[in-house]
Amino acid sequence: MKQDLEIAGYTALPLTLPSTPAFPIPATHYLYLRPHEPRIPDPDTPRSLFLVNTPIDTTETHLRHLFGSQLSAGRVERVEFEAARLSKKGSSAHALMQGTNVTKNGSSGKKRKRVTADELQNRLDEATLPETWDRSLQRSGSHAVVVFVDRASMEASLKAARKAGRKSTSITWGEGIEDKVPALGLHRYIDHQRALYPPRAELLRSVNEYMTVFAEVAEARKREAAKRAAEPDEDGFVTVTSGPRLTSAAGEEEAKMLIEKQKKSQEGFGDFYRFQSREKRKERQIDLLKRFDEDKKRLEEMKMRRGKIRPE
């Protein structure tokens, strides 16, 4: 009787990689899996499997097909890859940026919350141009977390993987889903070359979305700056200013106009400041002349005493 293939608590599942024109001989790839045990468990932990050494061409479709059809064990709810983890923190931040809590009938359950400038900035940082690759590849030896619909599906999938490894069941990776995932090889690079020049309408849509969020960020920061300026300081005073506020959202032309206006308003004080400078220079000259006369008198007194005092 063959034993389960286990290494350091991981169940080893052998997968047969299909042959390609470059590599006509099929290869065996080992996928290692165990129950997910993160440092900080969450409600999805009991129904999750932790996978290590995933093939570089792994997609969510591959793993759904592996556990649902090839192993006939359980249904997969979602897959969280190492390269792009769909964390709950990101999902909650996205829901917060939407500003509403939509109910089943499509109505808003809560009052819309005003989105802050930092939240809009996050949306701006996430904005990208149209993708140039039809699918992403995983890093060699990377890991993933597979979340099943329930704990029973997770346990059944782990049990089926152990059984397949013990009996050396032949599982061909990606068999039956060739038409559901984009092809690799030459077709991948041909599609990439075409995607480098997206349609004009799609490119304009991406740019317009970015500029719309950019304008919202500028407006939000302007509102926040005005709100901070209206708040009293530690002593209870509110700083009152006149004229346009020079904030980060102010335009370059407005800044130039403000600088020119300030220069004109200070032209009347130029002569006054120069007059003060002349007066200070006169005072320093008078003081130097006074000191010179005092030193001259002191020198004359020393000359008068010279020769009168003789050593004993």
Side-chain angles (χ1 to χ4, degrees):
M1 182 178 179
K2 295 183 178 181
Q3 296 181 352
D4 296 345
L5 296 177
E6 289 192 2
I7 299 177
Y10 286 87
T11 298
L13 177 62
L15 301 172
T16 301
L17 301 181
S19 61
T20 62
F23 299 96
I25 300 176
T28 302
H29 182 93
Y30 286 91
L31 179 67
Y32 304 96
L33 59 158
R34 65 169 172 79
H36 189 33
E37 297 176 355
R39 294 182 179 179
I40 304 177
D42 55 29
D44 296 334
T45 299
R47 57 190 179 102
S48 303
L49 284 179
F50 185 72
L51 276 58
V52 179
N53 196 34
T54 58
I56 61 172
D57 63 337
T58 303
T59 63
E60 186 169 334
T61 304
H62 280 89
L63 296 178
R64 287 180 181 272
H65 181 66
L66 173 64
F67 292 107
S69 300
Q70 293 178 302
L71 293 177
S72 301
R75 291 188 302 155
V76 176
E77 180 179 303
R78 70 177 186 276
V79 180
E80 300 175 358
F81 290 101
E82 177 186 3
R85 295 292 299 273
L86 303 177
S87 62
K88 293 181 178 62
K89 182 178 180 180
S91 300
S92 60
H94 178 72
L96 180 62
M97 285 187 285
Q98 298 302 320
T100 56
N101 183 16
V102 180
T103 58
K104 292 182 179 180
N105 57 5
S107 61
S108 298
K110 293 183 180 180
K111 186 177 179 181
R112 182 176 179 85
K113 181 182 178 180
R114 175 171 290 182
V115 183
T116 63
D118 292 336
E119 292 169 351
L120 289 171
Q121 185 66 46
N122 292 334
R123 286 175 54 187
L124 194 63
D125 295 338
E126 295 172 359
T128 58
L129 292 173
E131 293 290 339
T132 58
W133 294 101
D134 53 8
R135 60 185 289 190
S136 59
L137 298 180
Q138 309 302 324
R139 184 175 58 85
S140 178
S142 62
H143 63 262
V145 176
V146 180
V147 182
F148 293 84
V149 294
D150 51 26
R151 184 169 184 173
S153 296
M154 183 275 291
E155 294 175 348
S157 299
L158 183 60
K159 183 177 179 180
R162 289 173 178 171
K163 183 178 179 180
R166 183 172 60 251
K167 294 185 177 181
S168 299
T169 304
S170 178
I171 300 177
T172 303
W173 178 250
E175 185 180 20
I177 59 171
E178 293 84 0
D179 57 339
K180 296 182 180 180
V181 293
L184 297 178
L186 180 60
H187 297 285
R188 169 179 169 84
Y189 292 97
I190 292 176
D191 294 339
H192 170 65
Q193 187 66 24
R194 292 173 179 172
L196 289 176
Y197 304 94
R200 184 174 181 272
E202 184 178 356
L203 188 61
L204 286 176
R205 179 184 58 80
S206 300
V207 174
N208 288 336
E209 289 180 357
Y210 182 90
M211 295 307 299
T212 300
V213 180
F214 182 84
E216 292 178 359
V217 171
E219 187 64 26
R221 295 205 181 280
K222 188 175 181 180
R223 289 197 304 266
E224 291 180 359
K227 184 178 179 181
R228 287 194 300 267
E231 293 178 353
D233 56 14
E234 297 178 355
D235 298 328
F237 293 96
V238 177
T239 304
V240 180
T241 59
S242 60
R245 296 172 183 264
L246 188 57
T247 63
S248 58
E252 185 178 354
E253 294 297 330
E254 184 179 359
K256 291 181 179 179
M257 292 176 60
L258 178 60
I259 293 173
E260 293 296 332
K261 184 177 180 180
Q262 290 177 347
K263 287 182 178 180
K264 291 181 179 180
S265 63
Q266 294 177 358
E267 286 179 356
F269 297 97
D271 294 337
F272 175 75
Y273 292 137
R274 286 195 291 271
F275 172 75
Q276 280 190 331
S277 300
R278 288 195 299 268
E279 291 296 323
K280 288 181 180 180
R281 284 198 299 271
K282 288 181 179 180
E283 291 177 0
R284 286 196 296 269
Q285 291 175 358
I286 293 173
D287 184 59
L288 289 174
L289 291 174
K290 183 177 179 181
R291 290 182 182 181
F292 178 75
D293 292 338
E294 292 177 354
D295 293 340
K296 189 176 181 181
K297 291 179 180 179
R298 191 178 297 111
L299 182 60
E300 294 293 335
E301 292 177 357
M302 292 176 64
K303 288 181 179 180
M304 294 292 293
R305 291 196 300 267
R306 187 177 181 181
K308 295 183 178 180
I309 302 176
R310 297 179 180 179
E312 294 180 355

